[in-house]
Amino acid sequence: MAMKVSAPGTGILLVTANVGTLFDDTENLQKNWLREFYQTVHTQKPQFLSLHCQEVGGKNYEASMSYVDKFVKDLLSSDAMKEYNRARVYLKQFNGKLHENLKTSEKKTNVALGSFYFLHESLKNVCQYDFKAKKYRKVTGKEIYSDTLESTPMLEKEKFPQEFFPESKSSRKGFIRTRWCITDCAFDLVNIHLFHDASNLVAWESSPSTYSGIRQKALSYVLNSITDHRYEKVPYFVFGDFNFRLDLKSVVETLCAKTTMQTVHATDTNAVDKLIFCESENDRKVVLQIEKKLFDYFNQEVFRDNNGTALLEFDKELSVFKDRLYELDITFPPSYPYSEDSSQGKQYMNTRCPSWCDRILMSHTAKELLLKSENDERIVLYDSIGPNICMGDHKPVFLSFRIATGAGKANAQSHKCCVVQ
């Protein structure tokens, strides 16, 4: 991928991808995923590339070790990435052989988060922040951190407190934060994974749902952590699997406005086991069925038509953070839950209400870094990867933009961006 940098500023590509199903399936799925990812890199031609992954390793760590190993090695050594001569890979919670020069942990646990950073050979003097020494260090070579993640000062990582977990069940959810300085501009990149909806029935009970409140609490915790007084403040981008869901009660009320509801109770506990919404006429046609892990709506086109944008009015979870976070307009279909059938790249599974779980958000100061063109239109693209190809149950989402040289100059001087060790 020969790169001719003619556009102004420095090209940045941020990608978030929940890749759990890549390691539960055959090698073909991973191969297709990488092909689409490399095509996006080729098309956008970034000089700085950040890939934030969640659920690296899938749910079965013993079966997925070889897939994880191949995934990481492919990213670092493929022809598509050969012009990226510097890289940093951070894998949180991992057991098994990843690289012949890396020792493994005795603890049997999956990778929760994987943060990958690639620097193109045309990009000079890139620095990464050392959180312990509180100074920037020049980035050279390619380095992988897995079991050594605990000791590296080049990132901050945290698992959410136990009391955040729904039903007090332990979880691998949390965040990883790194800080970079590019073209005299310092900014934080935060890889995040928030809590999912454990039950559609519980999510349907109230508006907003109980799960929405848990995610709000967790995201507030992250934002407070990365903007506290331990370090000087810089613009930040937070991207990952937020597990944001549509307000299910409102969605159902809209989709099923002309139906009647039948409630099915479990025979042993009398708890609600199933909701069935039927048309009053038309032979009482079943429109929607909801169970704990079933959301079976008769017409999926409503989620695909015009990229599902008519449903954005029910995407409300980010609204409480409007003073702290900014997101570009969403013009791509809900990113989850897609079919894992390799022949059904546009089909959703009937497990959850399709939602925009995978997002790229930023502080309002970060928004100001995005380069504007002469006609005042931002040179920005916010989209999903592989819209017609099976990419697993989540479609990766990317943000491509350019940072003007010296855009964060005042900020950089404050943080001594150019003073490296």
Side-chain angles (χ1 to χ4, degrees):
M1 183 185 68
M3 177 178 294
K4 295 181 179 180
V5 181
S6 55
T10 301
I12 308 291
L13 179 62
L14 309 181
V15 181
T16 179
N18 185 314
V19 295
T21 53
L22 295 190
F23 310 102
D24 298 334
D25 207 299
T26 65
E27 188 175 336
N28 287 333
L29 178 56
Q30 189 176 129
K31 189 178 298 183
N32 291 341
W33 191 99
L34 287 167
R35 184 184 65 246
E36 293 296 314
F37 172 75
Y38 293 146
Q39 181 58 48
T40 301
V41 174
H42 176 75
T43 301
Q44 300 303 318
K45 295 179 171 55
Q47 292 163 278
F48 180 86
L49 165 59
S50 172
L51 170 61
H52 283 179
C53 294
Q54 304 81 42
E55 294 192 24
V56 179
K59 297 177 175 62
N60 187 340
Y61 69 89
E62 291 179 337
S64 67
M65 287 302 97
S66 61
Y67 290 129
V68 174
D69 186 47
K70 187 177 186 306
F71 181 74
V72 175
K73 288 182 177 179
D74 199 321
L75 284 169
L76 288 174
S77 61
S78 71
D79 286 342
M81 304 292 287
K82 64 183 179 182
E83 294 186 9
Y84 293 87
N85 60 353
R86 289 151 292 168
R88 291 293 182 270
V89 177
Y90 302 104
L91 299 170
K92 183 176 183 292
Q93 298 183 5
F94 184 80
N95 178 65
K97 185 177 180 181
L98 176 68
H99 187 279
E100 59 186 3
N101 294 326
L102 295 179
K103 296 180 180 179
T104 59
S105 170
E106 292 296 323
K107 185 177 180 181
K108 293 186 176 181
T109 179
N110 298 353
V111 173
L113 296 172
S115 296
F116 301 76
Y117 305 99
F118 302 91
L119 286 63
H120 192 267
E121 59 191 15
S122 65
L123 188 58
K124 309 300 181 184
N125 298 323
V126 177
C127 303
Q128 187 180 0
Y129 193 65
D130 182 324
F131 286 95
K132 184 177 181 179
K134 295 188 176 182
K135 62 179 66 174
Y136 286 90
R137 302 192 185 280
K138 190 171 183 178
V139 179
T140 60
K142 297 182 179 181
E143 297 177 2
I144 304 174
Y145 296 85
S146 56
D147 61 310
T148 55
L149 198 69
E150 300 300 321
S151 59
T152 179
M154 307 305 291
L155 57 77
E156 282 200 317
K157 57 177 174 33
E158 192 167 349
K159 180 180 176 180
F160 291 121
Q162 183 67 35
E163 62 266 24
F164 280 23
F165 301 149
E167 302 173 2
S168 298
K169 292 182 179 179
S170 184
S171 170
R172 295 182 295 155
K173 304 297 192 295
F175 69 94
I176 292 178
R177 168 198 192 186
T178 57
R179 177 170 292 185
W180 301 84
C181 182
I182 299 174
T183 62
D184 290 335
C185 180
F187 53 85
D188 283 349
L189 300 178
V190 181
N191 187 353
I192 190 170
H193 194 185
L194 299 182
F195 307 103
H196 67 289
D197 284 12
S199 169
N200 294 324
L201 294 169
V202 174
W204 170 83
E205 289 175 351
S206 61
S207 174
S209 75
T210 302
Y211 302 118
S212 174
I214 295 170
R215 286 188 287 271
Q216 179 181 337
K217 182 178 179 182
L219 181 52
S220 294
Y221 180 86
V222 174
L223 297 180
N224 291 339
S225 177
I226 66 175
T227 58
D228 62 16
H229 299 294
R230 292 172 300 149
Y231 308 100
E232 292 186 70
K233 295 180 182 180
V234 298
Y236 56 85
F237 297 86
V238 185
F239 49 114
D241 181 1
F242 291 84
N243 262 313
F244 288 163
R245 306 300 172 97
L246 302 185
D247 188 306
L248 194 59
K249 191 171 184 64
S250 299
V251 170
V252 172
E253 288 174 352
T254 300
L255 295 180
C256 303
K258 297 181 179 180
T259 67
T260 57
M261 184 182 76
Q262 176 186 349
T263 303
V264 179
H265 295 270
T267 54
D268 51 347
T269 63
N270 202 39
V272 175
D273 194 49
K274 188 173 187 176
L275 301 174
I276 304 174
F277 297 84
C278 303
E279 293 184 355
S280 301
E281 301 176 354
N282 194 23
D283 294 328
R284 294 190 57 78
K285 174 184 175 182
V286 175
V287 174
L288 173 65
Q289 297 183 74
I290 299 178
E291 297 177 13
K292 180 179 180 179
K293 294 185 178 181
L294 175 73
F295 185 88
D296 189 2
Y297 187 63
F298 82 105
N299 179 22
Q300 282 201 4
E301 286 304 313
V302 69
F303 302 108
R304 291 189 290 263
D305 187 36
N306 196 26
N307 291 329
T309 50
L311 297 169
L312 281 170
E313 66 175 292
F314 305 112
D315 180 67
K316 304 176 180 179
E317 294 196 35
L318 187 58
S319 61
V320 297
F321 295 98
K322 62 182 180 180
D323 293 336
R324 305 182 73 179
L325 291 170
Y326 173 80
E327 181 180 30
L328 275 81
D329 291 340
I330 292 176
T331 58
F332 49 88
S335 63
Y336 172 85
Y338 280 91
S339 170
E340 297 171 31
D341 184 335
S342 60
S343 65
Q344 301 292 330
K346 299 178 71 173
Q347 185 77 13
Y348 288 105
M349 289 191 288
N350 294 326
T351 53
R352 310 288 185 185
C353 177
S355 301
W356 288 273
C357 294
D358 309 274
R359 316 279 277 260
I360 299 177
L361 313 178
M362 67 194 80
S363 64
H364 290 279
T365 52
K367 179 184 68 172
E368 297 306 314
L369 299 179
L370 277 58
L371 185 65
K372 294 182 180 180
S373 61
E374 292 181 359
N375 60 4
D376 206 40
E377 291 183 1
R378 297 185 184 278
I379 306 174
V380 175
L381 181 59
Y382 187 34
D383 207 348
S384 58
I385 297 176
N388 303 314
I389 304 296
C390 179
M391 304 287 284
D393 57 350
H394 289 255
K395 295 288 189 189
V397 170
F398 75 89
L399 175 64
S400 178
F401 61 97
R402 306 190 73 82
I403 291 180
T405 301
K409 191 172 183 180
N411 173 279
Q413 290 177 343
S414 172
H415 295 271
K416 299 181 180 179
C417 237
C418 300
V419 180
V420 300
Q421 297 294 320

